[in-house]
Amino acid sequence: MSDIVIGDDIDEIIERIDQLLEDEQMDDAVELVEAAIERHPNSITLRASRAEIAIENDDFEEGIAVIDAVLEDAEEGTERASLLNLKAYASFYMNDLDASRRLFNQALSEDPELWSSLVGRATTHERMGFTVAALLDLDHAVSIDDQESDPFAVRGRVYLRRGQHEEAARDFGYAVDSDPFDETSRLWLRSEEHTSELQSRISSR
């Protein structure tokens, strides 16, 4: 990207970055965010975007380093919660589940209604085998927003792990209804439907 024009509207800059990411133009997005930070060095939002891009690029250590620097300037509440949430996901992707869980806890102590952290902590709990804790977080996430597929997909997996096949099938169905492109949930749903049909045939003999 050449001749980058950076204005004073941070929201407009973020929209441009998001569009580049959506178009999978990662290098251009990095170039734009770095130019924007040079012009607006005190913008927490832009610096957080730089960390998010690093994490999306699988450069988790770089993302965490950027977040740690930004946290020093972040205000308590929503701003700090969002940064801790990003760091928690980076730790999860690095398979550091203890750090991930601790960071999600910190994010939710700053903003108890942060939906992304509830789903993230539930996913961490699922990976750690804490199914009851996972279900509590997922129920809370669904109570905040019941239109997104993620909590239903994760809750379906948790129910499956607990042997609650009827509940699992219901949630996989909700996940597919919310996101028709969720092929993983669709495959789980088909599997559960086949299992239910087989059990029905066996019991009717």
Side-chain angles (χ1 to χ4, degrees), residues 20-42:
L20 288 171
L21 292 174
E22 186 177 328
D23 295 340
E24 299 183 355
Q25 299 180 43
M26 186 66 71
D27 290 342
D28 287 346
V30 170
E31 190 176 349
L32 174 57
V33 76
E34 288 180 347
I37 290 171
E38 186 174 346
R39 179 175 173 84
H40 304 283
N42 296 322

PDB file of all heavy atoms in Angstrom, residues 20-42:
ATOM      1  N   LEU A  20      -9.646  -4.256   5.190  1.00  0.00           N
ATOM      2  CA  LEU A  20      -8.448  -4.919   4.666  1.00  0.00           C
ATOM      3  C   LEU A  20      -8.324  -6.338   5.216  1.00  0.00           C
ATOM      4  O   LEU A  20      -7.975  -7.273   4.482  1.00  0.00           O
ATOM      5  CB  LEU A  20      -7.199  -4.107   5.014  1.00  0.00           C
ATOM      6  CG  LEU A  20      -7.014  -2.791   4.246  1.00  0.00           C
ATOM      7  CD1 LEU A  20      -5.872  -1.980   4.842  1.00  0.00           C
ATOM      8  CD2 LEU A  20      -6.743  -3.068   2.761  1.00  0.00           C
ATOM      9  N   LEU A  21      -8.622  -6.499   6.488  1.00  0.00           N
ATOM     10  CA  LEU A  21      -8.562  -7.830   7.095  1.00  0.00           C
ATOM     11  C   LEU A  21      -9.624  -8.746   6.485  1.00  0.00           C
ATOM     12  O   LEU A  21      -9.367  -9.921   6.220  1.00  0.00           O
ATOM     13  CB  LEU A  21      -8.755  -7.730   8.613  1.00  0.00           C
ATOM     14  CG  LEU A  21      -7.620  -7.047   9.385  1.00  0.00           C
ATOM     15  CD1 LEU A  21      -8.000  -6.882  10.847  1.00  0.00           C
ATOM     16  CD2 LEU A  21      -6.321  -7.845   9.261  1.00  0.00           C
ATOM     17  N   GLU A  22     -10.819  -8.186   6.265  1.00  0.00           N
ATOM     18  CA  GLU A  22     -11.893  -8.967   5.656  1.00  0.00           C
ATOM     19  C   GLU A  22     -11.505  -9.408   4.249  1.00  0.00           C
ATOM     20  O   GLU A  22     -11.864 -10.509   3.811  1.00  0.00           O
ATOM     21  CB  GLU A  22     -13.183  -8.135   5.618  1.00  0.00           C
ATOM     22  CG  GLU A  22     -14.395  -8.908   5.134  1.00  0.00           C
ATOM     23  CD  GLU A  22     -15.666  -8.075   5.183  1.00  0.00           C
ATOM     24  OE1 GLU A  22     -15.782  -7.213   6.078  1.00  0.00           O
ATOM     25  OE2 GLU A  22     -16.542  -8.297   4.324  1.00  0.00           O
ATOM     26  N   ASP A  23     -10.758  -8.554   3.550  1.00  0.00           N
ATOM     27  CA  ASP A  23     -10.301  -8.868   2.190  1.00  0.00           C
ATOM     28  C   ASP A  23      -9.005  -9.683   2.194  1.00  0.00           C
ATOM     29  O   ASP A  23      -8.425  -9.921   1.131  1.00  0.00           O
ATOM     30  CB  ASP A  23     -10.087  -7.576   1.401  1.00  0.00           C
ATOM     31  CG  ASP A  23     -11.381  -6.810   1.172  1.00  0.00           C
ATOM     32  OD1 ASP A  23     -12.451  -7.430   1.270  1.00  0.00           O
ATOM     33  OD2 ASP A  23     -11.311  -5.588   0.920  1.00  0.00           O
ATOM     34  N   GLU A  24      -8.559 -10.061   3.408  1.00  0.00           N
ATOM     35  CA  GLU A  24      -7.349 -10.874   3.588  1.00  0.00           C
ATOM     36  C   GLU A  24      -6.098 -10.178   3.056  1.00  0.00           C
ATOM     37  O   GLU A  24      -5.163 -10.831   2.577  1.00  0.00           O
ATOM     38  CB  GLU A  24      -7.519 -12.254   2.935  1.00  0.00           C
ATOM     39  CG  GLU A  24      -8.666 -13.054   3.542  1.00  0.00           C
ATOM     40  CD  GLU A  24      -8.792 -14.443   2.942  1.00  0.00           C
ATOM     41  OE1 GLU A  24      -8.044 -14.744   1.987  1.00  0.00           O
ATOM     42  OE2 GLU A  24      -9.621 -15.230   3.440  1.00  0.00           O
ATOM     43  N   GLN A  25      -6.090  -8.856   3.175  1.00  0.00           N
ATOM     44  CA  GLN A  25      -4.907  -8.075   2.787  1.00  0.00           C
ATOM     45  C   GLN A  25      -4.127  -7.732   4.061  1.00  0.00           C
ATOM     46  O   GLN A  25      -4.077  -6.587   4.502  1.00  0.00           O
ATOM     47  CB  GLN A  25      -5.326  -6.819   2.027  1.00  0.00           C
ATOM     48  CG  GLN A  25      -6.080  -7.113   0.736  1.00  0.00           C
ATOM     49  CD  GLN A  25      -6.488  -5.852  -0.002  1.00  0.00           C
ATOM     50  OE1 GLN A  25      -5.710  -4.904  -0.125  1.00  0.00           O
ATOM     51  NE2 GLN A  25      -7.710  -5.839  -0.504  1.00  0.00           N
ATOM     52  N   MET A  26      -3.522  -8.759   4.644  1.00  0.00           N
ATOM     53  CA  MET A  26      -2.897  -8.630   5.952  1.00  0.00           C
ATOM     54  C   MET A  26      -1.748  -7.630   5.950  1.00  0.00           C
ATOM     55  O   MET A  26      -1.624  -6.796   6.852  1.00  0.00           O
ATOM     56  CB  MET A  26      -2.412 -10.005   6.424  1.00  0.00           C
ATOM     57  CG  MET A  26      -1.875 -10.021   7.842  1.00  0.00           C
ATOM     58  SD  MET A  26      -3.165  -9.682   9.075  1.00  0.00           S
ATOM     59  CE  MET A  26      -4.116 -11.210   8.976  1.00  0.00           C
ATOM     60  N   ASP A  27      -0.878  -7.696   4.940  1.00  0.00           N
ATOM     61  CA  ASP A  27       0.275  -6.794   4.895  1.00  0.00           C
ATOM     62  C   ASP A  27      -0.172  -5.333   4.818  1.00  0.00           C
ATOM     63  O   ASP A  27       0.414  -4.459   5.476  1.00  0.00           O
ATOM     64  CB  ASP A  27       1.170  -7.125   3.697  1.00  0.00           C
ATOM     65  CG  ASP A  27       1.892  -8.462   3.878  1.00  0.00           C
ATOM     66  OD1 ASP A  27       1.965  -8.948   5.025  1.00  0.00           O
ATOM     67  OD2 ASP A  27       2.356  -9.018   2.864  1.00  0.00           O
ATOM     68  N   ASP A  28      -1.191  -5.085   4.006  1.00  0.00           N
ATOM     69  CA  ASP A  28      -1.700  -3.715   3.892  1.00  0.00           C
ATOM     70  C   ASP A  28      -2.323  -3.256   5.208  1.00  0.00           C
ATOM     71  O   ASP A  28      -2.202  -2.078   5.581  1.00  0.00           O
ATOM     72  CB  ASP A  28      -2.733  -3.622   2.770  1.00  0.00           C
ATOM     73  CG  ASP A  28      -2.098  -3.689   1.388  1.00  0.00           C
ATOM     74  OD1 ASP A  28      -0.863  -3.543   1.299  1.00  0.00           O
ATOM     75  OD2 ASP A  28      -2.840  -3.904   0.405  1.00  0.00           O
ATOM     76  N   ALA A  29      -2.987  -4.167   5.910  1.00  0.00           N
ATOM     77  CA  ALA A  29      -3.591  -3.821   7.190  1.00  0.00           C
ATOM     78  C   ALA A  29      -2.519  -3.453   8.203  1.00  0.00           C
ATOM     79  O   ALA A  29      -2.663  -2.477   8.958  1.00  0.00           O
ATOM     80  CB  ALA A  29      -4.435  -4.990   7.706  1.00  0.00           C
ATOM     81  N   VAL A  30      -1.427  -4.225   8.222  1.00  0.00           N
ATOM     82  CA  VAL A  30      -0.315  -3.932   9.137  1.00  0.00           C
ATOM     83  C   VAL A  30       0.294  -2.577   8.803  1.00  0.00           C
ATOM     84  O   VAL A  30       0.567  -1.762   9.699  1.00  0.00           O
ATOM     85  CB  VAL A  30       0.759  -5.037   9.044  1.00  0.00           C
ATOM     86  CG1 VAL A  30       2.017  -4.621   9.806  1.00  0.00           C
ATOM     87  CG2 VAL A  30       0.216  -6.350   9.598  1.00  0.00           C
ATOM     88  N   GLU A  31       0.492  -2.314   7.510  1.00  0.00           N
ATOM     89  CA  GLU A  31       1.084  -1.046   7.084  1.00  0.00           C
ATOM     90  C   GLU A  31       0.195   0.128   7.490  1.00  0.00           C
ATOM     91  O   GLU A  31       0.678   1.166   7.967  1.00  0.00           O
ATOM     92  CB  GLU A  31       1.284  -1.063   5.569  1.00  0.00           C
ATOM     93  CG  GLU A  31       2.112   0.102   5.044  1.00  0.00           C
ATOM     94  CD  GLU A  31       2.375  -0.003   3.552  1.00  0.00           C
ATOM     95  OE1 GLU A  31       2.102  -1.063   2.965  1.00  0.00           O
ATOM     96  OE2 GLU A  31       2.854   1.003   2.979  1.00  0.00           O
ATOM     97  N   LEU A  32      -1.117  -0.044   7.317  1.00  0.00           N
ATOM     98  CA  LEU A  32      -2.046   1.028   7.661  1.00  0.00           C
ATOM     99  C   LEU A  32      -2.072   1.280   9.160  1.00  0.00           C
ATOM    100  O   LEU A  32      -2.016   2.437   9.603  1.00  0.00           O
ATOM    101  CB  LEU A  32      -3.451   0.686   7.159  1.00  0.00           C
ATOM    102  CG  LEU A  32      -4.577   1.651   7.561  1.00  0.00           C
ATOM    103  CD1 LEU A  32      -4.260   3.079   7.087  1.00  0.00           C
ATOM    104  CD2 LEU A  32      -5.915   1.187   6.985  1.00  0.00           C
ATOM    105  N   VAL A  33      -2.136   0.225   9.960  1.00  0.00           N
ATOM    106  CA  VAL A  33      -2.239   0.418  11.402  1.00  0.00           C
ATOM    107  C   VAL A  33      -0.951   1.016  11.961  1.00  0.00           C
ATOM    108  O   VAL A  33      -0.982   1.855  12.876  1.00  0.00           O
ATOM    109  CB  VAL A  33      -2.608  -0.903  12.123  1.00  0.00           C
ATOM    110  CG1 VAL A  33      -1.434  -1.856  12.221  1.00  0.00           C
ATOM    111  CG2 VAL A  33      -3.148  -0.615  13.523  1.00  0.00           C
ATOM    112  N   GLU A  34       0.197   0.633  11.402  1.00  0.00           N
ATOM    113  CA  GLU A  34       1.457   1.200  11.890  1.00  0.00           C
ATOM    114  C   GLU A  34       1.567   2.687  11.522  1.00  0.00           C
ATOM    115  O   GLU A  34       2.046   3.494  12.320  1.00  0.00           O
ATOM    116  CB  GLU A  34       2.638   0.405  11.331  1.00  0.00           C
ATOM    117  CG  GLU A  34       2.750  -0.978  11.984  1.00  0.00           C
ATOM    118  CD  GLU A  34       3.917  -1.789  11.457  1.00  0.00           C
ATOM    119  OE1 GLU A  34       4.490  -1.388  10.416  1.00  0.00           O
ATOM    120  OE2 GLU A  34       4.249  -2.818  12.070  1.00  0.00           O
ATOM    121  N   ALA A  35       1.101   3.039  10.317  1.00  0.00           N
ATOM    122  CA  ALA A  35       1.100   4.451   9.921  1.00  0.00           C
ATOM    123  C   ALA A  35       0.134   5.246  10.793  1.00  0.00           C
ATOM    124  O   ALA A  35       0.419   6.387  11.183  1.00  0.00           O
ATOM    125  CB  ALA A  35       0.725   4.576   8.445  1.00  0.00           C
ATOM    126  N   ALA A  36      -1.011   4.638  11.112  1.00  0.00           N
ATOM    127  CA  ALA A  36      -2.003   5.313  11.949  1.00  0.00           C
ATOM    128  C   ALA A  36      -1.478   5.519  13.363  1.00  0.00           C
ATOM    129  O   ALA A  36      -1.700   6.577  13.973  1.00  0.00           O
ATOM    130  CB  ALA A  36      -3.293   4.490  11.971  1.00  0.00           C
ATOM    131  N   ILE A  37      -0.762   4.521  13.882  1.00  0.00           N
ATOM    132  CA  ILE A  37      -0.195   4.649  15.234  1.00  0.00           C
ATOM    133  C   ILE A  37       0.881   5.732  15.258  1.00  0.00           C
ATOM    134  O   ILE A  37       1.002   6.480  16.235  1.00  0.00           O
ATOM    135  CB  ILE A  37       0.378   3.289  15.703  1.00  0.00           C
ATOM    136  CG1 ILE A  37      -0.766   2.297  15.971  1.00  0.00           C
ATOM    137  CG2 ILE A  37       1.234   3.450  16.953  1.00  0.00           C
ATOM    138  CD1 ILE A  37      -0.313   0.877  16.231  1.00  0.00           C
ATOM    139  N   GLU A  38       1.631   5.848  14.181  1.00  0.00           N
ATOM    140  CA  GLU A  38       2.649   6.903  14.104  1.00  0.00           C
ATOM    141  C   GLU A  38       2.007   8.281  14.180  1.00  0.00           C
ATOM    142  O   GLU A  38       2.564   9.206  14.791  1.00  0.00           O
ATOM    143  CB  GLU A  38       3.447   6.756  12.806  1.00  0.00           C
ATOM    144  CG  GLU A  38       4.623   7.716  12.706  1.00  0.00           C
ATOM    145  CD  GLU A  38       5.476   7.462  11.477  1.00  0.00           C
ATOM    146  OE1 GLU A  38       5.323   6.387  10.854  1.00  0.00           O
ATOM    147  OE2 GLU A  38       6.297   8.343  11.136  1.00  0.00           O
ATOM    148  N   ARG A  39       0.824   8.393  13.568  1.00  0.00           N
ATOM    149  CA  ARG A  39       0.128   9.692  13.601  1.00  0.00           C
ATOM    150  C   ARG A  39      -0.627   9.879  14.915  1.00  0.00           C
ATOM    151  O   ARG A  39      -0.744  10.989  15.431  1.00  0.00           O
ATOM    152  CB  ARG A  39      -0.852   9.792  12.427  1.00  0.00           C
ATOM    153  CG  ARG A  39      -1.641  11.098  12.400  1.00  0.00           C
ATOM    154  CD  ARG A  39      -2.499  11.207  11.160  1.00  0.00           C
ATOM    155  NE  ARG A  39      -3.370  12.367  11.190  1.00  0.00           N
ATOM    156  CZ  ARG A  39      -3.010  13.600  10.825  1.00  0.00           C
ATOM    157  NH1 ARG A  39      -1.784  13.820  10.396  1.00  0.00           N
ATOM    158  NH2 ARG A  39      -3.876  14.604  10.874  1.00  0.00           N
ATOM    159  N   HIS A  40      -1.155   8.776  15.470  1.00  0.00           N
ATOM    160  CA  HIS A  40      -1.946   8.844  16.708  1.00  0.00           C
ATOM    161  C   HIS A  40      -1.332   7.904  17.751  1.00  0.00           C
ATOM    162  O   HIS A  40      -1.909   6.853  18.077  1.00  0.00           O
ATOM    163  CB  HIS A  40      -3.402   8.438  16.444  1.00  0.00           C
ATOM    164  CG  HIS A  40      -4.088   9.235  15.375  1.00  0.00           C
ATOM    165  ND1 HIS A  40      -4.554  10.513  15.590  1.00  0.00           N
ATOM    166  CD2 HIS A  40      -4.397   8.934  14.074  1.00  0.00           C
ATOM    167  CE1 HIS A  40      -5.126  10.975  14.481  1.00  0.00           C
ATOM    168  NE2 HIS A  40      -5.033  10.030  13.550  1.00  0.00           N
ATOM    169  N   PRO A  41      -0.155   8.219  18.263  1.00  0.00           N
ATOM    170  CA  PRO A  41       0.577   7.291  19.137  1.00  0.00           C
ATOM    171  C   PRO A  41      -0.116   6.982  20.465  1.00  0.00           C
ATOM    172  O   PRO A  41       0.202   5.972  21.097  1.00  0.00           O
ATOM    173  CB  PRO A  41       1.914   8.015  19.371  1.00  0.00           C
ATOM    174  CG  PRO A  41       1.610   9.463  19.131  1.00  0.00           C
ATOM    175  CD  PRO A  41       0.579   9.487  18.057  1.00  0.00           C
ATOM    176  N   ASN A  42      -1.056   7.810  20.868  1.00  0.00           N
ATOM    177  CA  ASN A  42      -1.718   7.597  22.155  1.00  0.00           C
ATOM    178  C   ASN A  42      -3.060   6.864  22.029  1.00  0.00           C
ATOM    179  O   ASN A  42      -3.762   6.696  23.030  1.00  0.00           O
ATOM    180  CB  ASN A  42      -1.940   8.939  22.864  1.00  0.00           C
ATOM    181  CG  ASN A  42      -0.630   9.624  23.210  1.00  0.00           C
ATOM    182  OD1 ASN A  42       0.339   8.969  23.600  1.00  0.00           O
ATOM    183  ND2 ASN A  42      -0.591  10.935  23.055  1.00  0.00           N
TER     184      ASN A  42
END
